[in-house]
Amino acid sequence: MSRALKIFLVIGVVVLGILGGFLAGFLLSAKLGMFTQPSVLSSGVDSVFALMQRQALDPPDETTATVGAINGLLQSNGDRYARYMPADDFKSYSETMEGSFGGIGVVLAEENGNVRVAQVYEDTPAARAGIENGDWFFEIDGIQRDSWTTQEIQRLVKGEPGTTVTITLCRPYTEEDTMNMRYPLGVPYTVTIERAVIQVPVTKAELYEGDIGYIRLFEFNLVSGDAVREDIKSLKAQGAKKFILDLRENPGGDLRQAISISSIFIESGVIVKVESRVDGETILESVGDTTLPSEPLVILIDENSASASEIVAGAIHDHERGTLVGMKTFGKGSVQTLLNYKDGAILMTTAHYLSPNGTVINDVGVSPDVEIPMTLGAQKELETDIQLQEAIKILGDLR
């Protein structure tokens, strides 16, 4: 499985390829009023934009060009995580962070300019339609793209409960496949799904071996910290004395929630160091409210644990608070700040973070204490999930 879990926006290939930063400058100055005087940049882009209107096979309209321009400027410094979210995309993003929306019930992840299913929530339209983790999006209601972003997929898939959406996905080939692999992403299949209100199950909790509490955290949204604490309370009432926090396939999310969840296990000290060109170094420490200060702990991670997941894993490792089991994490050690802009928002990289001991995570990742390679599909059942089995064994040996 590829480890690239990138959040990489490619909008308007022709516009960006020809105009790049020039088009960005022009439209930001001409349409958004950010410059009071014409510049060489805007003048040059003005000419190219006019040329495209006269000569291009498929010239962009002003709205498309503006979106492409803003993204061209945001990424002109090499920031692959930056993107502009117009009003519809920003609305979809906000609904996802709040945890309730009309959709099909999947978590998305970008990889190499395409979008795959990172998680399928149980008892949702997606689960009933047979969509599986790892499937790639190819077409939505007849719309195909050479590349997708998570925001585009969210906007097209979400909608009023009771309405339908037709999606073509590609199921990755297995090692046993001997068929003609003529589709790059796998075998395509099409499903028509009726949308429903999706209450995102932020966590999943179970009790193993009578005293091992297992919590899977799907993403770091605005209620993640509270959800984990509630699960711990419930599991302790059932007799749990040792705990597993599963961060596999968790793409991250809100930095504040990473601090909150780390603080559940770490009473005091540094959780993460944030380095910014503007603000210098900021040290973020445990906020207290520690629920499990010393109970035995295992953190499950894999190559798609990213961002906030890596903050938690790095803090647990550096404080020697628990054992990391699984595979090296993705390696996204940069901080994106969401800035309201017009009716939408701009997301850009404003800092990068280091683990409490000063270890660089970006493009490196967090290594497990116990490395266990495993395919994504093996997580479906305990009988095949050898990473979870090892976590249970480690805690069981502490009796």
Side-chain angles (χ1 to χ4, degrees):
M1 176 191 306
S2 170
R3 291 186 58 253
L5 174 61
K6 69 187 182 82
I7 306 176
F8 185 94
L9 186 60
V10 183
I11 294 180
V13 174
V14 174
V15 177
L16 295 182
I18 298 176
L19 304 180
F22 285 106
L23 182 55
F26 160 70
L27 287 166
L28 284 174
S29 62
K31 300 297 178 186
L32 307 177
M34 293 184 67
F35 303 109
T36 58
Q37 297 294 330
S39 66
V40 173
L41 182 67
S42 62
S43 176
V45 173
D46 193 358
S47 299
V48 175
F49 183 73
L51 179 63
M52 291 187 71
Q53 300 307 304
R54 294 195 304 270
Q55 300 290 339
L57 175 63
D58 185 18
D61 59 28
E62 291 189 1
T63 299
T64 300
T66 300
V67 172
I70 296 173
N71 281 298
L73 181 57
L74 286 170
Q75 296 174 21
S76 64
N77 64 347
D79 185 356
R80 57 179 174 156
Y81 298 115
R83 90 278 306 273
Y84 166 59
M85 288 183 276
D88 288 346
D89 287 356
F90 181 48
K91 179 176 182 290
S92 176
Y93 174 88
S94 299
E95 289 172 345
T96 300
M97 292 301 290
E98 290 168 1
S100 178
F101 50 88
I104 64 172
V106 297
V107 176
L108 306 176
E110 287 183 39
E111 188 173 334
N112 297 328
N114 290 287
V115 176
R116 64 177 175 82
V117 177
Q119 290 284 341
V120 180
Y121 295 130
E122 295 179 359
D123 194 28
T124 60
R128 291 188 286 272
I131 294 177
E132 296 183 359
N133 293 358
D135 290 351
W136 295 93
F137 282 87
F138 179 72
E139 178 179 306
I140 303 174
D141 282 339
I143 300 174
Q144 293 184 17
R145 299 276 172 81
D146 291 331
S147 61
W148 290 99
T149 68
T150 54
Q151 280 71 37
E152 290 172 321
I153 296 291
Q154 287 171 349
R155 176 169 48 82
L156 292 171
V157 168
K158 289 180 179 179
E160 289 296 321
T163 61
T164 61
V165 58
T166 299
I167 307 172
T168 298
L169 301 104
C170 292
R171 177 133 322 147
Y173 301 109
T174 64
E175 293 181 0
E176 292 76 22
D177 281 329
T178 57
M179 61 182 294
N180 179 20
M181 299 182 184
R182 61 193 184 99
Y183 299 100
L185 297 177
V187 181
Y189 69 96
T190 301
V191 291
T192 297
I193 304 176
E194 182 176 311
R195 298 179 177 98
V197 175
I198 304 299
Q199 297 291 340
V200 176
V202 182
T203 61
K204 174 184 177 181
E206 296 185 39
L207 188 69
Y208 292 114
E209 305 293 326
D211 65 351
I212 298 175
Y214 167 88
I215 301 171
R216 179 152 200 164
L217 179 62
F218 294 109
E219 59 185 51
F220 289 77
N221 65 22
L222 301 182
V223 299
S224 295
D226 290 339
V228 171
R229 285 182 169 84
E230 284 298 315
D231 285 341
I232 290 171
K233 180 180 178 181
S234 174
L235 288 166
K236 289 179 93 173
Q238 299 174 54
K241 299 177 181 177
K242 312 163 191 178
F243 290 85
I244 298 168
L245 178 64
D246 191 346
L247 298 177
R248 294 175 299 177
E249 293 296 308
N250 187 318
D254 191 84
L255 173 62
R256 294 165 298 180
Q257 295 299 311
I259 304 300
S260 174
I261 290 171
S262 297
S263 301
I264 291 172
F265 311 103
I266 299 169
E267 288 187 280
S268 62
V270 178
I271 300 300
V272 67
K273 297 178 180 178
V274 182
E275 292 186 347
S276 163
R277 178 181 64 85
V278 176
D279 300 322
E281 182 178 86
T282 301
I283 298 196
L284 301 177
E285 298 187 349
S286 172
V287 296
D289 194 17
T290 305
T291 310
L292 300 174
S294 59
E295 288 81 349
L297 174 68
V298 171
I299 305 291
L300 287 172
I301 54 175
D302 68 5
E303 59 269 42
N304 291 318
S305 303
S307 186
S309 295
E310 295 174 288
I311 291 178
V312 175
I316 295 297
H317 178 271
D318 285 6
H319 284 275
E320 299 182 352
R321 176 61 189 86
T323 303
L324 306 184
V325 173
M327 296 292 292
K328 181 186 286 189
T329 62
F330 168 70
K332 181 181 178 296
S334 57
V335 178
Q336 281 70 53
T337 299
L338 188 67
L339 306 169
N340 291 328
Y341 188 80
K342 302 295 185 182
D343 293 330
I346 285 174
L347 195 69
M348 72 171 71
T349 299
T350 56
H352 69 271
Y353 57 75
L354 308 174
S355 74
N357 289 347
T359 303
V360 174
I361 295 175
N362 200 45
D363 296 327
V364 176
V366 177
S367 296
D369 300 304
V370 181
E371 182 174 351
I372 302 179
M374 194 183 80
T375 61
L376 178 61
Q379 294 183 27
K380 293 179 181 179
E381 303 291 340
L382 178 59
E383 290 74 18
T384 57
D385 192 341
I386 57 177
Q387 293 172 344
L388 177 54
Q389 290 177 23
E390 179 64 19
I392 293 172
K393 180 180 182 300
I394 289 172
L395 294 176
D397 289 344
L398 297 178
R399 296 184 192 280

